[in-house]
Every structure is written in C-alpha cells, then in structure tokens.
Amino acid sequence: MGTVERRRRGGASTLALLCATALLAVSGVVGVTGVAQAAPAAPEPGAKSLEQVRKEIEDLYRQAGTATDAYNLAEGEAKAQSAKIVEIAKQVVAGQDRITALKDRAGAAARAQYRSGGMPAGARLALSGTPSQFLDGADRIRQGEKATTDLLSEMNRTQSDLQQYAKDATAQWQKLEANRIKQENAKKEIEEKIKTAEALESKLQAEEKARLIQLEQEAQYKAQTAWLSTGVLKEINSSASESGKRAVQYATGQMGKPYVWGAEGPDSFDCSGLTSQAWRAAGKNIPRTSQEQLRLLPKVAIKDMRPGDLIIYFDDASHVGMYVGDGAIVHAPRPGRNVTLTGAGSMPIKAVVRPDA
C-alpha cells in the first residue's frame, strides 16, 4: 500500500475515531454502543422523524450563519464609517483653525492699511520722487497684491474643503445609519432562527438528543467518506507555510470553546471569527466574514490546498473552516457546539482561499 493511500485511509480512520469520541463525550453515562443500538421511539402519526428534525435544525442554523455573516459585515463597515467620521471631524477642526488664522492675517493687513491712511506703504513709495524708490515701491505693490490674492484663494479653498467635509460627513452618517438598520435586521433574524432551532431541540428527550448528535456525525462521516473516495487526498500533499503553521496552531488551540455568533474570542468564536483571529495571530489581517474571505482572498484549487488554507462552504459561503491536513478541518460549527475537528469534505465545498498567497 502506498504512502498516500495509507494517509487517506489513516485520515478517514482518524476522523471516524474523532466522531466516536465526540459522541462518547456528549452522551455522558450512555455508552457509545448503547447509543448506537438505541432505536428512537416510534413517531406518532404525522409527527416528524428525528432525521427530519435534524435537517430542519441544520437548515435553521445555516440560515442563522448567513445572517451572522451579514451582521458581522455590517458591524465591520459601521466601525470603518465611524472611523471616517472621526477623521472628517478632525479635518473640519483643522480647517476651521486655518480659516481663523487666515482671517487674522487679513485683519492685520487691513489694520496696517488703515493706520497708513488707507494707502499701502508700497503705494506711497511708488509715488515718491526718485526712480529707485519708485521701482522698489512698485515691486512691493506687486508683492502685496500677490499676497492678498493668495490669501483670498487660500481662504476660498479652505471654505470649499469645509463644505466638502460636511458633505462627506453626511454621506458617512447615512451609511452608518443604513448599516445600523442592517445590523438590527440581521440580529433579529439570527436570534429568531437560533431560538426556533433551540426550541426544536429542547423538545427532544435525552436519548433523542444523543441520537441527534449521532445522526449529525453520521451525515458528516458519509459526506467525508464520499469525498475521500474520489481519491482527493492522493493529490493534496502541500506543506504548510510558516504563517500557515502558526494559524493552524492557534485555531486548534481553541478546540472545545463554544460557538457564539459574532464572537471573535478569546473565550468563544463563530466560524469566521475563528479563522480571522487565527490568521491575525499568524501576523496576517484578513476579512472578518466568510463571504468577504471568499471575495477578497486568492483562490486555490482543492488539489493544491495546504494546512492553513480556508475552505468556504455552501453556495452562499455561509460557513468557513481551516484545513489542518489529512483531510480534516478545524471549525466552529454552530450554536450549541464547540470548536472541533471534522472532515474537510463533510460539507459542500464552494472554494478554497489562501490568506498568505
């Protein structure tokens, strides 16, 4: 058996063991064998099967994930707009100070002219009787006229700048308000979806909850096995970059911490909060949301991916995990679950992106 084939089978076996271990940890006093053998109670006529409930809960959490991305994006934009407004305010203050200084200069020139009887010193020299004094006076008049013209031009420019700053500030406030509304709407949708999913799950008995987790893991394992059966691991053999290694080290170090929507650590994470913070720890700032990570980071082929790369999942790019090698990712799955390892092919892959390309 070749080295790559052993890696592929070894990766699949490792992930199977991870699934079994996770099930044992969650089921508590109920043994893995007991859980596997326990059949769910027969549903009442017209009632949903546990598998239907699982799919419904999974769909609700996916919708919440999409809304979470919208919330995080709006929050990031709001922070950027707030920073722009602060910068504009500083420019306005500087412009007002500049206007005050220019007015003081203009006032000083006017007072000097008043004290000389309304005639600038240069003009008086120009009217003198000697040629040298006349030429000197004429030059001073030209200099004075230029200084006055420059002063007026600078005042006009500064006034124009202040007007533009006011327009910019208004536009940024409007964007900020629009993003605030987007945040509120996304937050309501997130809370609604999570509340509905939690309500469905809360109706289950302890044995059903354990079985639900097993069904989740079985679905993930089935998808992972199908992905591995394509021979994809035969082609994936790239080594992590130094920064990729640091990102993986950070992300795997968060395993066991809970998923909380909008969280970026250190005690909890959502999916893109984990990946963005892992790469920040590796010295690379990347976009906050999975959709922006997909849009702005360089894409690589699956066969070329290496540990540290980010795998974007689902058509709406609503989930992201970090590839750690051997066909596995580390990710923050959803509310009610913790940061964990799972198969890279356990969800539909949309794209792979590389933060340090």
Side-chain angles (χ1 to χ4, degrees):
M1 185 184 299
T3 301
V4 175
E5 182 65 18
R6 285 198 300 274
R7 282 184 59 198
R8 185 182 70 80
R9 295 190 179 181
S13 300
T14 300
L15 290 170
L17 179 60
L18 284 169
C19 291
T21 303
L23 181 57
L24 177 62
V26 174
S27 59
V29 297
V30 183
V32 174
T33 304
V35 172
Q37 292 175 346
E44 297 178 4
K48 296 176 182 177
S49 70
L50 195 57
E51 176 62 13
Q52 288 174 318
V53 172
R54 181 194 71 79
K55 289 181 178 179
E56 188 172 346
I57 289 173
E58 183 180 273
D59 187 54
L60 284 165
Y61 279 127
R62 272 205 53 219
Q63 292 175 43
T66 302
T68 297
D69 235 27
Y71 176 89
N72 289 336
L73 180 59
E75 185 179 53
E77 289 176 345
K79 288 179 180 178
Q81 284 146 10
S82 295
K84 287 181 181 178
I85 290 170
V86 170
E87 184 59 33
I88 289 170
K90 291 179 180 177
Q91 291 173 330
V92 168
V93 170
Q96 289 173 336
D97 289 344
R98 184 64 179 157
I99 286 289
T100 300
L102 292 172
K103 286 181 177 179
D104 288 344
R105 282 172 54 192
R111 287 192 296 274
Q113 186 172 341
Y114 176 77
R115 286 194 298 270
S116 64
M119 183 180 293
R124 293 200 307 273
L125 285 172
L127 296 175
S128 64
T130 64
S132 61
Q133 286 180 326
F134 174 82
L135 292 173
D136 182 57
D139 185 55
R140 291 193 186 186
I141 287 176
R142 286 192 295 271
Q143 291 177 2
E145 288 175 344
K146 184 177 184 306
T148 301
T149 300
D150 290 347
L151 180 62
L152 292 174
S153 296
E154 191 169 354
M155 288 181 70
N156 287 334
R157 283 196 304 272
T158 305
Q159 290 283 15
S160 178
D161 288 343
L162 287 174
Q163 291 173 354
Q164 186 60 49
Y165 295 154
K167 291 180 182 178
D168 291 344
T170 299
Q172 292 302 328
W173 276 115
Q174 290 172 344
K175 289 181 180 179
L176 192 63
E177 177 63 13
N179 272 315
R180 184 188 65 79
I181 294 171
K182 281 169 60 178
Q183 281 178 277
E184 288 183 354
N185 291 339
K187 184 177 180 181
K188 288 177 183 177
E189 185 177 354
I190 295 164
E191 291 173 340
E192 178 186 328
K193 300 299 182 185
I194 292 177
K195 184 177 179 180
T196 303
E198 288 175 342
L200 282 172
E201 204 162 354
S202 69
K203 294 176 182 177
L204 302 175
Q205 299 297 321
E207 294 81 0
E208 290 177 313
K209 289 181 180 179
R211 175 63 179 158
L212 181 68
I213 294 173
Q214 186 181 21
L215 288 174
E216 288 178 3
Q217 293 169 342
E218 286 174 357
Q220 293 170 2
Y221 186 71
K222 182 179 179 181
Q224 174 73 356
T225 302
W227 184 66
L228 292 175
S229 69
T230 64
V232 65
L233 281 191
K234 293 179 180 179
E235 297 181 317
I236 303 174
N237 53 20
S238 299
S239 300
S241 64
E242 288 303 314
S243 55
K245 290 177 183 176
R246 292 194 295 271
V248 168
Q249 183 179 17
Y250 178 93
T252 53
Q254 311 314 308
M255 289 173 60
K257 294 183 179 180
Y259 178 108
V260 174
W261 68 264
E264 300 178 81
D267 299 321
S268 57
F269 298 87
D270 63 20
C271 65
S272 56
L274 176 66
T275 54
S276 60
Q277 288 301 309
W279 272 100
R280 177 174 292 181
K284 178 78 173 179
N285 288 324
I286 66 172
R288 169 65 178 85
T289 71
S290 56
Q291 292 172 350
E292 288 295 280
Q293 289 169 1
L294 171 66
R295 187 173 73 87
L296 297 175
L297 296 179
K299 297 177 180 61
V300 297
I302 291 177
K303 66 180 180 64
D304 296 324
M305 71 180 177
R306 65 193 187 194
D309 287 348
L310 306 183
I311 304 181
I312 311 296
Y313 292 98
F314 304 109
D315 287 340
D316 59 1
S318 57
H319 191 69
V320 60
M322 179 180 291
Y323 187 64
V324 297
D326 290 327
I329 61 166
V330 59
H331 72 145
R334 65 165 177 84
R337 300 290 183 263
N338 298 331
V339 176
T340 188
L341 288 176
T342 194
S346 61
M347 295 168 282
I349 296 175
K350 183 175 181 65
V352 179
V353 296
R354 178 163 295 165
D356 61 338

